[in-house]
mmCIF file of all heavy atoms in Angstrom:
data_model
loop_
_atom_site.group_PDB
_atom_site.id
_atom_site.type_symbol
_atom_site.label_atom_id
_atom_site.label_comp_id
_atom_site.label_asym_id
_atom_site.label_seq_id
_atom_site.Cartn_x
_atom_site.Cartn_y
_atom_site.Cartn_z
ATOM 1 N N ALA A 1 0.801 -1.218 0.000
ATOM 2 C CA ALA A 1 0.000 0.000 0.000
ATOM 3 C C ALA A 1 0.838 1.274 0.000
ATOM 4 O O ALA A 1 0.290 2.362 -0.157
ATOM 5 C CB ALA A 1 -0.935 0.003 1.207
ATOM 6 N N ASP A 2 2.159 1.143 0.168
ATOM 7 C CA ASP A 2 3.008 2.342 0.238
ATOM 8 C C ASP A 2 3.797 2.585 -1.042
ATOM 9 O O ASP A 2 4.858 3.195 -1.017
ATOM 10 C CB ASP A 2 3.959 2.257 1.436
ATOM 11 C CG ASP A 2 4.958 1.115 1.321
ATOM 12 O OD1 ASP A 2 4.805 0.266 0.416
ATOM 13 O OD2 ASP A 2 5.900 1.071 2.130
ATOM 14 N N MET A 3 3.258 2.120 -2.185
ATOM 15 C CA MET A 3 3.903 2.355 -3.477
ATOM 16 C C MET A 3 2.952 3.164 -4.357
ATOM 17 O O MET A 3 2.279 2.615 -5.243
ATOM 18 C CB MET A 3 4.295 1.030 -4.138
ATOM 19 C CG MET A 3 5.342 0.253 -3.366
ATOM 20 S SD MET A 3 5.816 -1.309 -4.178
ATOM 21 C CE MET A 3 6.646 -0.705 -5.667
ATOM 22 N N PRO A 4 2.868 4.474 -4.149
ATOM 23 C CA PRO A 4 1.830 5.281 -4.799
ATOM 24 C C PRO A 4 1.978 5.449 -6.299
ATOM 25 O O PRO A 4 1.036 5.910 -6.955
ATOM 26 C CB PRO A 4 1.942 6.632 -4.082
ATOM 27 C CG PRO A 4 3.342 6.679 -3.575
ATOM 28 C CD PRO A 4 3.673 5.259 -3.202
ATOM 29 N N ARG A 5 3.113 5.084 -6.860
ATOM 30 C CA ARG A 5 3.271 5.238 -8.311
ATOM 31 C C ARG A 5 2.908 3.972 -9.084
ATOM 32 O O ARG A 5 3.030 3.933 -10.315
ATOM 33 C CB ARG A 5 4.699 5.668 -8.637
ATOM 34 C CG ARG A 5 4.946 7.122 -8.238
ATOM 35 C CD ARG A 5 6.299 7.608 -8.642
ATOM 36 N NE ARG A 5 6.437 9.039 -8.369
ATOM 37 C CZ ARG A 5 7.588 9.663 -8.246
ATOM 38 N NH1 ARG A 5 8.717 8.981 -8.376
ATOM 39 N NH2 ARG A 5 7.638 10.949 -7.996
ATOM 40 N N VAL A 6 2.452 2.954 -8.378
ATOM 41 C CA VAL A 6 1.922 1.774 -9.054
ATOM 42 C C VAL A 6 0.517 2.103 -9.547
ATOM 43 O O VAL A 6 -0.346 2.504 -8.761
ATOM 44 C CB VAL A 6 1.895 0.558 -8.105
ATOM 45 C CG1 VAL A 6 1.106 -0.591 -8.725
ATOM 46 C CG2 VAL A 6 3.310 0.112 -7.784
ATOM 47 N N THR A 7 0.294 1.956 -10.834
ATOM 48 C CA THR A 7 -0.963 2.381 -11.444
ATOM 49 C C THR A 7 -1.839 1.193 -11.818
ATOM 50 O O THR A 7 -1.378 0.047 -11.876
ATOM 51 C CB THR A 7 -0.687 3.184 -12.718
ATOM 52 O OG1 THR A 7 -0.060 2.306 -13.683
ATOM 53 C CG2 THR A 7 0.224 4.380 -12.446
ATOM 54 N N ALA A 8 -3.100 1.505 -12.115
ATOM 55 C CA ALA A 8 -4.020 0.476 -12.598
ATOM 56 C C ALA A 8 -3.503 -0.156 -13.886
ATOM 57 O O ALA A 8 -3.649 -1.365 -14.095
ATOM 58 C CB ALA A 8 -5.400 1.088 -12.820
ATOM 59 N N GLU A 9 -2.892 0.646 -14.726
ATOM 60 C CA GLU A 9 -2.372 0.127 -15.996
ATOM 61 C C GLU A 9 -1.267 -0.895 -15.753
ATOM 62 O O GLU A 9 -1.176 -1.910 -16.466
ATOM 63 C CB GLU A 9 -1.853 1.276 -16.857
ATOM 64 C CG GLU A 9 -2.922 2.210 -17.395
ATOM 65 C CD GLU A 9 -3.502 3.148 -16.342
ATOM 66 O OE1 GLU A 9 -2.857 3.365 -15.293
ATOM 67 O OE2 GLU A 9 -4.621 3.656 -16.574
ATOM 68 N N MET A 10 -0.424 -0.650 -14.773
ATOM 69 C CA MET A 10 0.639 -1.610 -14.449
ATOM 70 C C MET A 10 0.053 -2.922 -13.946
ATOM 71 O O MET A 10 0.471 -4.013 -14.365
ATOM 72 C CB MET A 10 1.574 -1.009 -13.399
ATOM 73 C CG MET A 10 2.403 0.149 -13.900
ATOM 74 S SD MET A 10 3.253 1.070 -12.568
ATOM 75 C CE MET A 10 4.320 -0.209 -11.898
ATOM 76 N N LEU A 11 -0.930 -2.836 -13.066
ATOM 77 C CA LEU A 11 -1.562 -4.045 -12.538
ATOM 78 C C LEU A 11 -2.255 -4.824 -13.655
ATOM 79 O O LEU A 11 -2.154 -6.054 -13.717
ATOM 80 C CB LEU A 11 -2.570 -3.668 -11.452
ATOM 81 C CG LEU A 11 -1.995 -2.936 -10.237
ATOM 82 C CD1 LEU A 11 -3.120 -2.479 -9.319
ATOM 83 C CD2 LEU A 11 -0.999 -3.808 -9.483
ATOM 84 N N ALA A 12 -2.941 -4.103 -14.527
ATOM 85 C CA ALA A 12 -3.623 -4.766 -15.637
ATOM 86 C C ALA A 12 -2.626 -5.461 -16.565
ATOM 87 O O ALA A 12 -2.915 -6.531 -17.123
ATOM 88 C CB ALA A 12 -4.462 -3.756 -16.417
ATOM 89 N N ARG A 13 -1.459 -4.885 -16.718
ATOM 90 C CA ARG A 13 -0.434 -5.489 -17.583
ATOM 91 C C ARG A 13 0.047 -6.820 -17.001
ATOM 92 O O ARG A 13 0.280 -7.786 -17.745
ATOM 93 C CB ARG A 13 0.739 -4.525 -17.758
ATOM 94 C CG ARG A 13 1.815 -5.016 -18.708
ATOM 95 C CD ARG A 13 1.261 -5.232 -20.098
ATOM 96 N NE ARG A 13 2.275 -5.763 -21.005
ATOM 97 C CZ ARG A 13 2.029 -6.673 -21.953
ATOM 98 N NH1 ARG A 13 0.811 -7.160 -22.120
ATOM 99 N NH2 ARG A 13 3.005 -7.097 -22.727
ATOM 100 N N LEU A 14 0.184 -6.901 -15.679
ATOM 101 C CA LEU A 14 0.563 -8.173 -15.055
ATOM 102 C C LEU A 14 -0.484 -9.240 -15.349
ATOM 103 O O LEU A 14 -0.154 -10.387 -15.680
ATOM 104 C CB LEU A 14 0.712 -7.995 -13.544
ATOM 105 C CG LEU A 14 1.825 -7.065 -13.047
ATOM 106 C CD1 LEU A 14 1.771 -6.965 -11.524
ATOM 107 C CD2 LEU A 14 3.200 -7.536 -13.496
ATOM 108 N N VAL A 15 -1.751 -8.858 -15.240
ATOM 109 C CA VAL A 15 -2.832 -9.811 -15.501
ATOM 110 C C VAL A 15 -2.834 -10.240 -16.971
ATOM 111 O O VAL A 15 -3.013 -11.415 -17.291
ATOM 112 C CB VAL A 15 -4.190 -9.204 -15.106
ATOM 113 C CG1 VAL A 15 -5.332 -10.157 -15.460
ATOM 114 C CG2 VAL A 15 -4.219 -8.889 -13.615
ATOM 115 N N GLU A 16 -2.621 -9.289 -17.854
ATOM 116 C CA GLU A 16 -2.577 -9.615 -19.283
ATOM 117 C C GLU A 16 -1.499 -10.651 -19.590
ATOM 118 O O GLU A 16 -1.730 -11.608 -20.331
ATOM 119 C CB GLU A 16 -2.308 -8.345 -20.100
ATOM 120 C CG GLU A 16 -3.471 -7.387 -20.166
ATOM 121 C CD GLU A 16 -3.074 -6.057 -20.766
ATOM 122 O OE1 GLU A 16 -1.900 -5.925 -21.210
ATOM 123 O OE2 GLU A 16 -3.915 -5.132 -20.795
ATOM 124 N N ARG A 17 -0.321 -10.464 -19.015
ATOM 125 C CA ARG A 17 0.780 -11.404 -19.266
ATOM 126 C C ARG A 17 0.480 -12.772 -18.656
ATOM 127 O O ARG A 17 0.856 -13.805 -19.214
ATOM 128 C CB ARG A 17 2.086 -10.841 -18.719
ATOM 129 C CG ARG A 17 2.594 -9.634 -19.473
ATOM 130 C CD ARG A 17 2.965 -9.992 -20.905
ATOM 131 N NE ARG A 17 4.200 -10.768 -20.973
ATOM 132 C CZ ARG A 17 4.461 -11.708 -21.868
ATOM 133 N NH1 ARG A 17 3.554 -12.066 -22.757
ATOM 134 N NH2 ARG A 17 5.627 -12.334 -21.855
ATOM 135 N N PHE A 18 -0.207 -12.788 -17.524
ATOM 136 C CA PHE A 18 -0.617 -14.057 -16.928
ATOM 137 C C PHE A 18 -1.576 -14.802 -17.855
ATOM 138 O O PHE A 18 -1.423 -16.011 -18.094
ATOM 139 C CB PHE A 18 -1.270 -13.788 -15.576
ATOM 140 C CG PHE A 18 -1.899 -14.997 -14.941
ATOM 141 C CD1 PHE A 18 -1.135 -16.093 -14.577
ATOM 142 C CD2 PHE A 18 -3.265 -15.040 -14.702
ATOM 143 C CE1 PHE A 18 -1.715 -17.214 -13.992
ATOM 144 C CE2 PHE A 18 -3.854 -16.141 -14.116
ATOM 145 C CZ PHE A 18 -3.079 -17.229 -13.759
ATOM 146 N N ILE A 19 -2.542 -14.091 -18.397
ATOM 147 C CA ILE A 19 -3.509 -14.719 -19.306
ATOM 148 C C ILE A 19 -2.831 -15.180 -20.585
ATOM 149 O O ILE A 19 -3.129 -16.257 -21.111
ATOM 150 C CB ILE A 19 -4.662 -13.738 -19.601
ATOM 151 C CG1 ILE A 19 -5.488 -13.515 -18.323
ATOM 152 C CG2 ILE A 19 -5.546 -14.237 -20.725
ATOM 153 C CD1 ILE A 19 -6.521 -12.408 -18.426
ATOM 154 N N GLU A 20 -1.880 -14.395 -21.064
ATOM 155 C CA GLU A 20 -1.177 -14.743 -22.306
ATOM 156 C C GLU A 20 -0.272 -15.959 -22.145
ATOM 157 O O GLU A 20 -0.162 -16.783 -23.047
ATOM 158 C CB GLU A 20 -0.334 -13.559 -22.781
ATOM 159 C CG GLU A 20 -1.134 -12.372 -23.277
ATOM 160 C CD GLU A 20 -0.281 -11.113 -23.401
ATOM 161 O OE1 GLU A 20 0.931 -11.152 -23.099
ATOM 162 O OE2 GLU A 20 -0.850 -10.080 -23.803
ATOM 163 N N THR A 21 0.395 -16.056 -21.002
ATOM 164 C CA THR A 21 1.455 -17.057 -20.845
ATOM 165 C C THR A 21 1.098 -18.218 -19.925
ATOM 166 O O THR A 21 1.695 -19.296 -20.036
ATOM 167 C CB THR A 21 2.727 -16.398 -20.279
ATOM 168 O OG1 THR A 21 2.472 -15.953 -18.936
ATOM 169 C CG2 THR A 21 3.160 -15.213 -21.150
ATOM 170 N N GLY A 22 0.176 -18.006 -18.986
ATOM 171 C CA GLY A 22 -0.106 -19.038 -17.999
ATOM 172 C C GLY A 22 1.019 -19.235 -17.000
ATOM 173 O O GLY A 22 1.028 -20.226 -16.265
ATOM 174 N N ALA A 23 1.960 -18.309 -16.944
ATOM 175 C CA ALA A 23 3.093 -18.435 -16.017
ATOM 176 C C ALA A 23 2.607 -18.407 -14.573
ATOM 177 O O ALA A 23 1.692 -17.654 -14.241
ATOM 178 C CB ALA A 23 4.091 -17.294 -16.240
ATOM 179 N N PRO A 24 3.209 -19.195 -13.688
ATOM 180 C CA PRO A 24 2.777 -19.193 -12.292
ATOM 181 C C PRO A 24 3.132 -17.915 -11.542
ATOM 182 O O PRO A 24 2.525 -17.611 -10.520
ATOM 183 C CB PRO A 24 3.506 -20.398 -11.690
ATOM 184 C CG PRO A 24 4.713 -20.580 -12.551
ATOM 185 C CD PRO A 24 4.276 -20.183 -13.934
ATOM 186 N N ILE A 25 4.113 -17.168 -12.063
ATOM 187 C CA ILE A 25 4.507 -15.894 -11.446
ATOM 188 C C ILE A 25 4.724 -14.860 -12.554
ATOM 189 O O ILE A 25 5.442 -15.132 -13.525
ATOM 190 C CB ILE A 25 5.803 -16.028 -10.623
ATOM 191 C CG1 ILE A 25 5.618 -17.025 -9.476
ATOM 192 C CG2 ILE A 25 6.237 -14.666 -10.079
ATOM 193 C CD1 ILE A 25 6.889 -17.306 -8.692
ATOM 194 N N VAL A 26 4.113 -13.711 -12.390
ATOM 195 C CA VAL A 26 4.384 -12.576 -13.278
ATOM 196 C C VAL A 26 4.876 -11.448 -12.377
ATOM 197 O O VAL A 26 4.152 -10.974 -11.496
ATOM 198 C CB VAL A 26 3.136 -12.143 -14.064
ATOM 199 C CG1 VAL A 26 3.496 -11.013 -15.017
ATOM 200 C CG2 VAL A 26 2.538 -13.320 -14.837
ATOM 201 N N ALA A 27 6.115 -11.050 -12.586
ATOM 202 C CA ALA A 27 6.795 -10.129 -11.672
ATOM 203 C C ALA A 27 7.088 -8.796 -12.339
ATOM 204 O O ALA A 27 7.289 -8.721 -13.555
ATOM 205 C CB ALA A 27 8.098 -10.756 -11.180
ATOM 206 N N SER A 28 7.132 -7.758 -11.534
ATOM 207 C CA SER A 28 7.473 -6.417 -12.007
ATOM 208 C C SER A 28 8.986 -6.239 -12.034
ATOM 209 O O SER A 28 9.686 -6.665 -11.117
ATOM 210 C CB SER A 28 6.858 -5.364 -11.078
ATOM 211 O OG SER A 28 5.464 -5.495 -11.019
#
């Protein structure tokens, strides 16, 4: 909760890569 520059777009990108790849971990 203390990372104020993390945006909705960044979070959505992690989800997109998970859906695309099925990887068990998608990391920033």
